[in-house]
Amino acid sequence: MENNLPIKSDEISLKELLQKGREWWSYLLSQWKIILITGIIGAALGLTYSFIKKPIYTATLSFAMEDEKSGGGLGSALGLASSFGLDLGGSGGGMFSGSNLAELFKSRSMVEKTLLSPINVDGKVISLAEMYIQNNKWRKSWNDNSKLASLKFLPNSNREKFTRIQDSIMGVMYQKLSEGLSVAQKDKKISIINIDVSSTNELFAKFFCESLAKQVSNFYVDVKSRKARMNMNILEKQVDSIRGQLNSSIGRVAVANDNTFNLNPALNIRRAPAARSQIDVQANTAIFTELVKQSELAKVNLRKETPLIQIIDKPILPLERERLGKIKGIFIGGLFFAFVSIVILIFKKIFKNII
């Protein structure tokens, strides 16, 4: 005999779902006073925050890098391929390409060198690190500590001689500044890079952005042209050395000729020093000529190896400002607190039903 008992189902019908929704809606409506009061408190806090919150200034600098060495051949082919939407992956391995360059800008070494750069503020030459400390009013809290009160970050100071406390402070500044630093290339097809620096101080954002671009530019040019510059310096030293030897050999020839003036033609042995000195002059002349030629070629090669960094746009005052408006603060604060109160009320009811 078959069992005709109804089978229980865990599925909820649409009708039951709508009924549950009405119950929850009615419950929340019954608690409208709590939600409204919470929303008003949140709106008041949002308005207060809009007054307290300092505006954020963003300095933007754009530049382009041109490396003559990589400008032809394969580089041109890759550029042509990219214009048709093909990515052949030829630019991903360079030290200063793509994300590598962005990480170089954000590196602690570059940021700290920038912080120690000299700037002129109100007629005084100070470092960007000192300006950052003044803007954040750190020295007021340092006055009670003798070790911190005497700390100074002078422009172009030797980073390697910093104390442990100075290292710690520089680390804090680096972490804070990294949050407001952005380096990006708008398009892979365009070799223009933008640097964005955000700060609550307008002048600091401008100075830091420009100084960071200068530090990275100097580092980039130095690394790319270091080998060619070393070769040119060596050749210039060799040219100076051979020039000295050549001048000395010419002097010895003159002395030898003076000593053999009106000499008896039969005494040829007395002419040997003059002949040897003349050979030295000829040899040194040939070497000197070749070294001068190589030195000039090295100078040309250095110019080719030195990349061109062209600043396109610099940050101009007044900078772009982002500030939380009063209406926006009221709306966000009220909406957030009202939402939080609704969530708490829902969990409270669920907890009561379980008990």
Side-chain angles (χ1 to χ4, degrees), residues 199-218:
S199 174
T200 55
N201 185 281
E202 188 176 27
L203 280 177
F204 180 83
K206 181 180 185 298
F207 289 149
F208 186 84
C209 185
E210 293 174 344
S211 297
L212 179 63
K214 183 179 179 181
Q215 289 293 336
V216 175
S217 172
N218 292 340

Side-chain angles (χ1 to χ4, degrees), residues 221-238 295 298-299 301-302 305-306:
V221 171
D222 177 67
V223 171
K224 294 287 285 185
S225 59
R226 183 177 298 169
K227 189 179 293 185
R229 189 183 300 108
M230 289 173 60
N231 184 45
M232 187 192 71
N233 291 336
I234 292 172
L235 285 171
E236 286 182 343
K237 289 181 180 179
Q238 290 178 340
S295 179
K299 291 177 182 179
N301 186 49
L302 177 61
E305 292 282 347
T306 303

Side-chain angles (χ1 to χ4, degrees), residues 75-201:
S76 301
L78 293 174
L80 181 63
S82 64
S83 66
F84 289 100
L86 301 175
D87 185 7
L88 301 182
S91 61
M95 177 181 175
F96 297 102
S97 61
S99 58
N100 291 344
L101 185 61
E103 290 302 318
L104 177 63
F105 272 95
K106 295 179 180 180
S107 67
R108 179 163 179 170
S109 174
M110 291 295 106
V111 171
E112 289 187 351
K113 284 182 180 179
T114 304
L115 284 171
L116 296 175
S117 300
I119 55 168
N120 193 316
V121 180
D122 298 330
K124 289 185 177 181
V125 178
I126 61 174
S127 66
L128 275 166
E130 282 292 338
M131 186 179 184
Y132 185 87
I133 292 170
Q134 293 175 11
N135 293 338
N136 290 276
K137 300 178 181 178
W138 286 0
R139 292 208 177 274
K140 289 184 178 180
S141 60
W142 292 356
N143 290 332
D144 298 332
N145 191 323
S146 58
K147 293 182 179 179
L148 295 175
S150 60
L151 284 181
K152 290 184 179 180
F153 295 89
L154 300 176
N156 297 323
S157 54
N158 190 347
R159 179 67 181 85
E160 295 180 358
K161 294 184 179 179
F162 276 14
T163 63
R164 186 182 180 89
I165 297 176
Q166 286 178 305
D167 288 340
S168 178
I169 293 171
M170 291 292 285
V172 172
M173 285 192 280
Y174 167 70
Q175 293 294 335
K176 296 288 184 182
L177 289 169
S178 297
E179 297 172 2
L181 177 61
S182 173
V183 182
Q185 189 174 355
K186 287 187 175 180
D187 195 328
K188 291 182 178 180
K189 301 176 186 178
I190 303 173
S191 59
I192 297 177
I193 298 168
N194 288 347
I195 311 171
D196 294 326
V197 177
S198 299
S199 174
T200 55
N201 185 281

Side-chain angles (χ1 to χ4, degrees), residues 253-283:
V253 169
V255 171
N257 288 334
D258 290 343
N259 292 335
T260 57
F261 183 70
N262 288 331
L263 183 69
N264 188 344
L267 301 175
N268 289 326
I269 190 64
R270 300 286 297 274
R271 301 182 187 275
R276 285 196 296 268
S277 297
Q278 189 63 41
I279 293 172
D280 290 340
V281 168
Q282 292 173 355

Side-chain angles (χ1 to χ4, degrees), residues 24 29 53-54 141 169 214 279 316:
W24 280 108
L29 285 178
K53 176 66 175 177
K54 292 182 179 180
S141 60
I169 293 171
K214 183 179 179 181
I279 293 172
I316 301 174

Side-chain angles (χ1 to χ4, degrees), residues 39-86:
I40 292 172
I41 294 172
L45 291 174
L47 179 62
T48 304
Y49 182 74
S50 67
F51 282 108
I52 298 173
K53 176 66 175 177
K54 292 182 179 180
I56 303 296
Y57 297 93
T58 302
T60 301
L61 184 144
S62 60
F63 67 95
M65 293 191 304
E66 180 183 358
D67 190 350
E68 185 177 343
K69 184 180 177 182
S70 60
L74 181 60
S76 301
L78 293 174
L80 181 63
S82 64
S83 66
F84 289 100
L86 301 175

